[in-house]
């Protein structure tokens, strides 16, 4: 087991009690705790509707369906993301159109490249807020409105982050047609599995709520609690429900989220200060800081050929690292005949140089100092390598 884990859980007696209460209630599927979690989550973001589902991937799938995306449609999506951002596009029979990143340390979708790839078949864009740093929503929303595109936010990394659009600050997740959040075990709000879809549109919320449970107009809890005696199935649905156990954990973690995000920000600030003099390494999103959720601490090596050795030497010191992410358009699934994609030079360059360092609320400032001392000794004195030009 590494001494310095990439991520860890800030769990304690409150979570234990919450799970025990669910077990003693003898109701494990969607029920009163799920409803309370949805209400509290929506209130946290200042949103009108929140629907608890099995995963962020399920939320993205349901969002696309609720926005009437289907066969023949194209959906803009970054390749610099986890594959779950793109897979739901294939689920609905649409075509992913991969967009390059901004570059220059900004790993988010480039508005300029997105605009250049819109065609008559474009119907939506999935905007990913990589590592918890908000994408340029003001520019992307302007493009989407000009072309009549639905905007779905993949906010898996970004719960608690803020962005500014049209002179107003909003919590991430408020400006698209729908936003999808992840509660996977390594996220800022972890429940093991699970996700949430947030929207201001009542029609989208209704469609998603029904579709998550086989298309039924009523839930099992509606019947068990006496609120309903029968139900209808008005459209095709799925088994995308979450559980009361996940909701109970989520409610506790939501209360802890502001303090835990503040801790992540403090640790990220310490990383940046310590690594400022390292010639061979630069933090991603180097010119931005305050409004991020700091889900990941990503650095870019100047020389991509050193990455394997860099990670091996850190592992030898007990420091766990990862890579976020291999480009989606490089995977075999997305390189099959008929799915050829244009080169994305900035995505390819960053993906070859990125390394993710440990970041979670249980780390101490001393831990970060020790990690940085090893990082500097292993990779911080390499010669400088000029990155490609940014895409804007």
């Amino acid at each position: 087991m590494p001494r310095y884990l990439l991520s860890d859980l800030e769990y304690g007696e409150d979570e234990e009690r919450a799970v025990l209460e669910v077990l003693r209630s003898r109701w494990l599927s969607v029920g009163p705790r799920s409803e309370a979690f949805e209400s509290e989550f929506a209130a946290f973001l200042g949103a009108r509707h929140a629907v608890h589902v099995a995963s962020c991937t399920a939320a993205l799938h349901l969002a696309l369906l609720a926005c009437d995306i289907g066969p023949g449609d194209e959906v803009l999506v970054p390749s610099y993301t986890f594959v779950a951002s793109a897979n739901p596009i294939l689920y609905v029979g649409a075509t992913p159109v991969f967009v390059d990143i901004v570059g220059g340390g900004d790993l988010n979708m480039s508005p300029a490249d997105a605009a250049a790839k819109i065609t008559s078949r474009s119907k939506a864009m999935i905007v990913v807020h990589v590592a918890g740093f908000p994408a340029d929503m003001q520019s992307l929303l302007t493009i989407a409105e000009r072309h009549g595109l639905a905007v779905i936010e993949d906010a898996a990394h970004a719960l608690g982050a803020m962005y500014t659009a049209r002179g107003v600050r909003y919590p991430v997740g408020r400006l698209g047609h729908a936003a999808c959040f992840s509660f996977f075990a390594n996220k800022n709000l972890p429940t093991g599995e699970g996700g949430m879809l947030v929207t201001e549109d009542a029609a989208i919320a209704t469609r998603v709520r029904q579709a998550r449970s086989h298309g039924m107009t009523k839930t099992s809890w509606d019947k068990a609690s006496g609120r309903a005696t029968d139900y209808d199935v008005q459209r095709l649905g799925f088994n995308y429900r979450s559980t009361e156990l996940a909701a109970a954990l989520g409610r506790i973690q939501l209360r802890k989220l502001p303090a835990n995000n503040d801790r992540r920000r403090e640790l990220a600030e310490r990383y940046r200060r310590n690594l400022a003099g390292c010639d061979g390494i630069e933090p991603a999103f180097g010119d931005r800081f305050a409004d991020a959720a700091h889900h990941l601490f990503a650095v870019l090596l100047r020389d991509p050929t050193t990455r394997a050795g860099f990670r091996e030497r850190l592992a030898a010191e007990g420091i766990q690292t990862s890579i976020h992410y291999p480009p989606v358009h490089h995977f075999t699934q997305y390189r099959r005949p008929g799915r050829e994609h244009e080169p994305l030079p900035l995505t390819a360059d960053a993906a070859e140089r990125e390394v993710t360092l440990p970041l979670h609320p249980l780390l101490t400032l001393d831990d970060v100092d020790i990690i940085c001392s090893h990082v500097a000794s292993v990779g911080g004195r390499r010669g400088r390598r000029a990155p490609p030009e940014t895409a804007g």
Side-chain angles (χ1 to χ4, degrees), residues 3 48 57 72 89 109 114 129 155 164 185 190 200 245 257 272 286 288 316 337 378 383:
R3 179 179 178 186
R48 292 182 180 177
T57 309
I89 301 170
M109 176 190 284
H129 305 291
T164 300
E200 300 298 293
L245 291 167
L257 180 72
R272 291 189 182 210
R288 299 166 55 195
V378 168

Side-chain angles (χ1 to χ4, degrees), residues 56-58 60-61 64 83-94 126 334:
C56 186
T57 309
L60 289 165
H61 184 193
L64 288 167
V83 69
S85 302
N87 282 348
I89 301 170
L90 298 185
Y91 297 169
V92 301
I126 293 177
Y334 289 90

Side-chain angles (χ1 to χ4, degrees), residues 4 34 45 47 90 107 113 121 131 144 147 150 158 195 200 203 217 246 263:
Y4 303 103
S34 299
L45 294 178
L90 298 185
L107 306 179
D113 196 46
R121 296 173 58 195
H147 296 278
E200 300 298 293
T217 55
R263 180 60 174 172

Side-chain angles (χ1 to χ4, degrees), residues 11-30:
Y11 268 29
E13 292 181 358
D14 288 344
E15 286 82 4
E16 292 174 7
R17 280 194 296 269
V19 168
L20 186 58
E21 287 173 3
V22 173
L23 297 178
R24 288 173 174 168
S25 78
R26 307 183 71 81
W27 186 266
L28 301 182
S29 187
V30 173

Side-chain angles (χ1 to χ4, degrees), residues 149-178:
L149 307 184
V151 176
I152 298 169
E153 295 180 66
D154 181 339
H157 293 181
L159 181 56
M162 302 289 292
Y163 46 31
T164 300
R166 294 158 187 165
V168 180
R169 292 180 82 243
Y170 299 89
V172 163
R174 287 288 309 282
L175 295 183
H177 290 76

Side-chain angles (χ1 to χ4, degrees), residues 16 30 44 47 51 55 74 108-109 114 133 154 169 195 267 283 292:
E16 292 174 7
V30 173
F44 179 81
V51 185
S55 66
E74 293 179 347
N108 281 324
M109 176 190 284
F133 289 81
D154 181 339
R169 292 180 82 243
L267 295 167

Side-chain angles (χ1 to χ4, degrees), residues 302-318:
R302 295 287 183 181
D303 182 354
T305 66
T306 66
R307 183 167 69 177
F310 176 81
R311 295 186 66 204
E312 288 171 3
R313 291 177 65 184
L314 290 182
E317 300 294 343

Side-chain angles (χ1 to χ4, degrees), residues 185-228:
N186 64 1
K187 296 300 188 289
N188 291 34
L189 192 161
T191 66
E193 296 287 356
M196 192 78 76
L197 182 142
V198 171
T199 182
E200 300 298 293
D201 189 320
I204 289 177
T206 297
R207 288 190 64 175
V208 169
R209 199 174 295 282
Q210 291 181 4
R212 74 171 173 181
S213 187
H214 304 288
M216 298 189 300
T217 55
K218 303 294 180 181
T219 68
S220 297
W221 176 246
D222 288 328
K223 292 179 287 180
S225 62
R227 297 190 302 199

